[in-house]
Amino acid sequence: MAAPSSNTCGLTERSIRERVPPLLTDLYQVTMAYAYWRTGRHQEPAVFELFFRNNPFGGGFTLFAGMQDCLLFLRSFHFTDEDVEFLRSVLPPATDPAFFQFLRGLDCSGVTLRAIPEGTVVFARVPLMEVAGPLAVVQLLETSLLCLVNYASLVCSNAARFRLAAGPKRKLLELGLRRAQGPDGGLTASRYTHIGGFDFTSNVQAGFQYGVPVAGTMAHSYVTSFTSLEEVLPKTLVAVNGDSTPVDIILLTKGWLSRVCELLGSQPGKIHEGELAAFLSYAIAYPQNFLPVIDSFSVGCSGLLNFCAVALALCELDYKPLGVRLDSGDLCRQSLEVRRVFRLCSKHFCVSAFDSLTIVGTNNITEQSMAELNEKENEIDVVGVGTHLVTCTQQPSLGCVYKVMLF
Amino acid sequence: MAAPSSNTCGLTERSIRERVPPLLTDLYQVTMAYAYWRTGRHQEPAVFELFFRNNPFGGGFTLFAGMQDCLLFLRSFHFTDEDVEFLRSVLPPATDPAFFQFLRGLDCSGVTLRAIPEGTVVFARVPLMEVAGPLAVVQLLETSLLCLVNYASLVCSNAARFRLAAGPKRKLLELGLRRAQGPDGGLTASRYTHIGGFDFTSNVQAGFQYGVPVAGTMAHSYVTSFTSLEEVLPKTLVAVNGDSTPVDIILLTKGWLSRVCELLGSQPGKIHEGELAAFLSYAIAYPQNFLPVIDSFSVGCSGLLNFCAVALALCELDYKPLGVRLDSGDLCRQSLEVRRVFRLCSKHFCVSAFDSLTIVGTNNITEQSMAELNEKENEIDVVGVGTHLVTCTQQPSLGCVYKVMLF
């Protein structure tokens, strides 16, 4: 696990002001604040409760998340001169100028937040947070607090449902950044799906800022960017232990490829040389972290054979290959075939490293298809989930509300 | 329309570095960059195209959006020492230290972006952007560019579909901030739904930063926070023109309320005094901007009558009330009744302002229910849309991809 950078607590605190400026709110919060102020009710003590009315996804529970950001937001809440000047331009010209003075001096020093601990299982209609303070101030906080809790809790709960569907053994990888509602949606997803039970994220910033373990190796574009073994550079690798003479890894791999083809009765002519070159280049760069995506052309006729050849060459040099990723087609069926070949190689070539190779599956996984993995025979160790996790396709909003309890 | 603050162009540019730091990417972009660098291919010229494979929502078009942010991102793209140190902690220990030096010196000076203009109608499989430059750099940009284009284009297209469903006359108000994927999701939604055809947003920051016209008056919590006319302060209002003597607006409104009840055959006993107090307080604060939400208790028995009484009092003092908002129940049916009462008041009391009052409808509007407004008789002038607009419930992701075209 990557620990968060030592400076990232400060980073999170600094960035809240950028992410959630006090103007990031519905205009009616400001117009209401003025109306309260005009009536002299702005300092009246008030209590609002934040809750939701139904568990999401037709389920029986929700995980509460977003509270840390709410606290940081409250701590940073104040209007700058620039903010106030903008509000002056938006509110009617007859608005009393003293109101803008009042806004300029506002902060949350008079506000008390009581909340359920972050990550707790919660249920419908139970207050997640109770916000008490001067009426005008707690009113001005509504939209921002809802925005910070709604999606965080939704995506955290969605992650927990994927976790439950996956069972305790399978590792889960979140990779939804490119499909989220913009940069902050992606970062929020990576952060709270980890709390919800995901093991890793592909999102590097989530590792940097929140210490979520990050994972990832290569995309199809990497594989298809190679066309021939000529492109492999350097062409040698030094064994882990012992002899420091560079070994011609291409030659070594070619030898293993022939043996693998022979073992499996495969046709060497169907093997894609560019893919082999990509795998080799990657293995030379990361001899201890070799986990290529093997379905760029054909898993059975090319990707799996190329993987085995390169991995066997690495094993011969005492490196330990990690595994493969499948990103298309019937993941269950393919994982069985991949595992069968791994076992065959392990036995035939006496390489025990092939007994513990990881198979990663990533292909438009939904909560339902995750659950089906428990019913269908398969050998997938790690599942990557993107779109359906971060967009919460089944129900893309939680619907928290912020209701006044007491004036 | 609120013009964007003069400083907000700089604000947008500054904030891109906070919103989209270079670590906000999938780890495999970095591992691939290293593998390219290790093979000596990192400077090789490469061209990637960004496109989508199917129009969203089963529709026939998409609006391209997000390009301005992509440009700002390219301009700001560079790894700090802190970024690079974090990457060093994540990549395998054997990674060549010279690679981190290379990362530290990277920027997009060698990158060319060719794109379709922002806001253009686009179709499936047509490149929206073409990114050319050194292989390692354009690879490192993939996730961030996808993240910036995917949701922006999706929500912009969704807004255009709502706009088409609404027809050209009805005004549309976006109010999804509290339901979006975090603060940036909400701001992105407000910005691009405006490009997609929405007239206003409730999101003040979108007005400040992007010049989107903002709108909003009051929530139910404001109405229910009042219990009696005792709470109305000040109790007087000065007429727009002429006499500067403060008029007892409570007394004036009470008189109008009797006349309205008599005209409509309503029972004054069913009228909620707290609601009347809330309307009066708001009208005193905003005599030229009176547009209350009238369904906190009962539209027909209380809210509509209270509105008419306060609005008629305002008209007597030469102010021009704006209208009402309906936020629950059958919006069409209620809008017809509200308009009937407005016309009756206009005729009976000879107040022409009642002929041009606006009726705003906001209640879980979908694209389909928007389209139904054209089939069912109704008097709704402005429709507010939140959840289904910003979460794009029908299809919450666009699925843009970034594919290599040329090495």
Side-chain angles (χ1 to χ4, degrees):
Chain A
M1 172 168 167
S5 160
S6 58
N7 293 324
T8 52
C9 295
L11 174 68
T12 302
E13 194 148 354
R14 280 199 306 281
S15 75
I16 199 82
R17 166 79 211 173
E18 282 272 348
R19 288 173 60 218
V20 199
L23 294 188
L24 194 74
T25 188
D26 294 313
L27 180 63
Y28 74 10
Q29 312 292 4
V30 185
T31 54
M32 286 191 282
Y34 177 62
Y36 285 133
W37 180 88
R38 188 78 171 82
T39 318
R41 294 187 59 201
H42 53 292
Q43 301 285 16
E44 211 170 276
V47 181
F48 281 73
E49 286 180 355
L50 192 152
F51 61 92
F52 58 88
R53 295 199 173 100
N54 297 105
N55 282 310
F57 316 116
F61 75 94
T62 300
L63 289 184
F64 169 50
M67 195 193 60
Q68 202 205 344
D69 272 356
C70 290
L71 284 172
L72 290 172
F73 166 68
L74 294 187
R75 217 180 284 167
S76 79
F77 182 85
H78 76 274
F79 293 98
T80 63
D81 284 337
E82 211 180 356
D83 295 335
V84 168
E85 281 318 300
F86 181 71
L87 290 175
R88 198 193 296 275
S89 77
V90 169
L91 295 188
T95 307
D96 187 334
F99 174 64
F100 298 108
Q101 283 293 106
F102 162 72
L103 284 184
R104 188 66 185 82
L106 274 192
D107 63 26
C108 286
S109 53
V111 174
T112 309
L113 179 75
R114 289 156 55 98
I116 285 173
E118 187 131 38
T120 305
V121 173
V122 290
F123 304 97
R125 296 183 178 274
V126 174
L128 311 178
M129 302 201 314
E130 188 191 272
V131 187
L135 176 54
V137 182
V138 291
Q139 184 68 63
L140 283 167
L141 304 175
E142 173 176 17
T143 307
S144 317
L145 294 179
L146 285 172
C147 183
L148 289 172
V149 170
N150 257 324
Y151 177 64
S153 298
L154 182 74
V155 79
C156 190
S157 308
N158 201 25
R161 292 176 62 93
F162 274 90
R163 175 78 275 170
L164 289 172
K169 282 188 191 159
R170 241 184 279 273
K171 297 281 184 189
L172 296 180
L173 165 64
E174 180 274 320
L175 30 76
L177 176 56
R178 65 188 64 188
R179 301 280 182 260
Q181 284 183 12
D184 182 69
L187 191 56
T188 305
S190 305
R191 179 181 183 185
Y192 291 109
T193 53
H194 183 54
I195 293 181
F198 271 59
D199 300 280
F200 314 100
T201 178
S202 66
N203 184 341
V204 186
Q205 185 70 19
F208 178 62
Q209 203 163 332
Y210 302 114
V212 183
V214 292
T217 58
M218 71 170 72
H220 293 124
S221 66
Y222 178 81
V223 179
T224 56
S225 82
F226 287 82
T227 51
S228 106
L229 290 171
E230 297 299 311
E231 293 159 327
V232 180
L233 267 175
K235 296 177 191 300
T236 59
L237 196 61
V238 171
V240 176
N241 303 313
D243 195 356
S244 64
T245 318
V247 176
D248 184 330
I249 181 88
I250 300 184
L251 207 65
L252 191 66
T253 299
K254 277 184 172 172
W256 278 112
L257 190 58
S258 301
R259 272 169 276 173
V260 168
C261 285
E262 200 183 316
L263 173 68
L264 301 175
S266 306
Q267 298 171 30
K270 286 193 175 172
I271 283 168
H272 206 283
E273 187 181 317
E275 187 182 53
L276 182 59
F279 288 8
L280 268 166
S281 291
Y282 200 89
I284 292 164
Y286 295 110
Q288 296 284 26
N289 296 74
F290 183 54
L291 193 155
V293 61
I294 60 168
D295 64 342
S296 298
F297 304 103
S298 157
V299 173
C301 296
S302 183
L304 180 55
L305 305 168
N306 280 331
F307 169 79
C308 289
V310 176
L312 286 161
L314 286 173
C315 288
E316 194 177 329
L317 301 177
D318 286 332
Y319 292 102
K320 202 172 171 318
L322 295 185
V324 298
R325 180 161 73 97
L326 296 165
D327 188 42
S328 58
D330 182 337
L331 298 180
C332 289
R333 191 186 51 69
Q334 291 179 99
S335 72
L336 292 173
E337 172 60 8
V338 168
R339 187 70 74 200
R340 186 187 71 78
V341 169
F342 287 171
R343 292 204 177 111
L344 203 60
C345 286
S346 164
K347 199 173 160 193
H348 191 79
F349 301 122
C350 296
V351 279
S352 62
F354 267 60
D355 289 329
S356 53
L357 289 170
T358 294
I359 301 176
V360 182
T362 54
N363 182 20
N364 209 26
I365 303 285
T366 61
E367 186 189 329
Q368 197 188 341
S369 63
M370 183 75 85
E372 282 165 9
L373 291 183
N374 297 321
E375 288 150 31
K376 286 170 79 173
E377 209 188 344
N378 72 81
E379 289 284 344
I380 302 168
D381 305 298
V382 178
V383 187
V385 195
T387 309
H388 297 292
L389 177 64
V390 305
T391 63
C392 303
T393 333
Q394 270 196 70
Q395 183 188 318
S397 68
L398 176 55
C400 279
V401 293
Y402 183 81
K403 295 287 173 195
V404 70
M405 290 297 125
L406 183 78
F407 282 104
Chain B
M1 168 165 169
S5 160
S6 59
N7 293 325
T8 52
C9 295
L11 173 69
T12 302
E13 193 148 355
R14 278 199 308 280
S15 75
I16 199 82
R17 167 79 212 175
E18 283 270 350
R19 286 174 60 218
V20 200
L23 294 188
L24 194 76
T25 187
D26 294 312
L27 180 63
Y28 74 9
Q29 311 293 3
V30 184
T31 55
M32 287 191 281
Y34 176 62
Y36 285 133
W37 180 88
R38 188 79 172 77
T39 319
R41 296 185 59 200
H42 54 292
Q43 301 285 16
E44 213 170 271
V47 181
F48 281 73
E49 285 179 358
L50 192 151
F51 61 93
F52 58 86
R53 296 200 173 99
N54 297 105
N55 283 310
F57 316 117
F61 74 95
T62 300
L63 290 183
F64 170 51
M67 197 193 57
Q68 201 206 344
D69 271 354
C70 290
L71 285 172
L72 291 172
F73 167 67
L74 294 187
R75 216 179 285 167
S76 80
F77 181 83
H78 77 276
F79 292 98
T80 63
D81 284 336
E82 210 179 357
D83 294 336
V84 168
E85 282 317 301
F86 181 71
L87 290 175
R88 198 194 296 273
S89 76
V90 168
L91 294 188
T95 308
D96 188 335
F99 174 65
F100 299 108
Q101 283 293 106
F102 162 73
L103 285 183
R104 188 65 187 83
L106 275 190
D107 64 23
C108 286
S109 54
V111 174
T112 309
L113 179 76
R114 290 157 53 98
I116 286 174
E118 186 131 41
T120 305
V121 173
V122 290
F123 304 98
R125 296 183 178 276
V126 174
L128 311 177
M129 303 202 311
E130 188 190 271
V131 188
L135 176 54
V137 182
V138 290
Q139 184 68 64
L140 283 168
L141 305 175
E142 173 176 17
T143 308
S144 317
L145 294 179
L146 284 172
C147 182
L148 290 172
V149 170
N150 258 325
Y151 177 64
S153 298
L154 182 73
V155 79
C156 189
S157 307
N158 201 27
R161 292 176 63 92
F162 273 90
R163 174 78 274 168
L164 289 172
K169 282 189 190 159
R170 240 184 280 273
K171 297 281 185 191
L172 296 181
L173 165 65
E174 179 274 321
L175 31 77
L177 176 55
R178 65 187 66 187
R179 300 279 182 260
Q181 284 183 10
D184 182 70
L187 191 56
T188 305
S190 304
R191 178 182 184 185
Y192 292 110
T193 53
H194 183 54
I195 292 181
F198 271 60
D199 300 279
F200 313 100
T201 178
S202 66
N203 184 341
V204 185
Q205 185 70 17
F208 179 62
Q209 203 162 333
Y210 302 114
V212 182
V214 292
T217 58
M218 73 170 74
H220 293 125
S221 66
Y222 178 81
V223 178
T224 56
S225 81
F226 287 82
T227 50
S228 105
L229 289 171
E230 297 299 310
E231 293 158 328
V232 181
L233 269 174
K235 298 179 189 297
T236 58
L237 196 61
V238 171
V240 176
N241 304 312
D243 193 357
S244 64
T245 318
V247 176
D248 184 331
I249 182 86
I250 300 183
L251 207 65
L252 192 64
T253 299
K254 279 184 171 171
W256 278 112
L257 188 58
S258 300
R259 273 170 274 172
V260 169
C261 285
E262 199 183 315
L263 173 68
L264 301 175
S266 305
Q267 298 172 31
K270 287 192 175 175
I271 283 168
H272 205 285
E273 187 180 319
E275 186 182 52
L276 182 60
F279 288 7
L280 268 166
S281 290
Y282 200 89
I284 291 164
Y286 295 110
Q288 295 286 24
N289 296 75
F290 183 54
L291 193 154
V293 59
I294 60 168
D295 64 343
S296 299
F297 303 103
S298 157
V299 173
C301 296
S302 183
L304 180 55
L305 305 169
N306 280 331
F307 170 79
C308 289
V310 176
L312 285 161
L314 286 173
C315 288
E316 193 176 329
L317 301 177
D318 286 332
Y319 292 103
K320 202 171 171 319
L322 295 185
V324 297
R325 178 161 74 96
L326 295 165
D327 188 42
S328 57
D330 182 339
L331 299 180
C332 289
R333 189 187 52 70
Q334 290 178 100
S335 72
L336 292 172
E337 173 59 11
V338 168
R339 187 69 74 200
R340 185 188 72 78
V341 170
F342 287 171
R343 292 202 177 111
L344 202 62
C345 286
S346 164
K347 198 172 162 193
H348 191 80
F349 302 121
C350 296
V351 278
S352 61
F354 267 59
D355 288 329
S356 53
L357 289 170
T358 294
I359 301 176
V360 182
T362 54
N363 182 21
N364 208 26
I365 302 285
T366 62
E367 186 189 329
Q368 196 187 341
S369 64
M370 182 76 85
E372 282 166 8
L373 291 183
N374 298 320
E375 287 148 32
K376 286 170 77 174
E377 207 187 344
N378 71 81
E379 288 285 344
I380 302 167
D381 305 297
V382 178
V383 187
V385 195
T387 309
H388 298 292
L389 178 65
V390 305
T391 64
C392 303
T393 332
Q394 268 195 74
Q395 183 188 319
S397 69
L398 177 55
C400 279
V401 293
Y402 183 81
K403 294 289 172 193
V404 69
M405 290 297 123
L406 183 77
F407 282 105

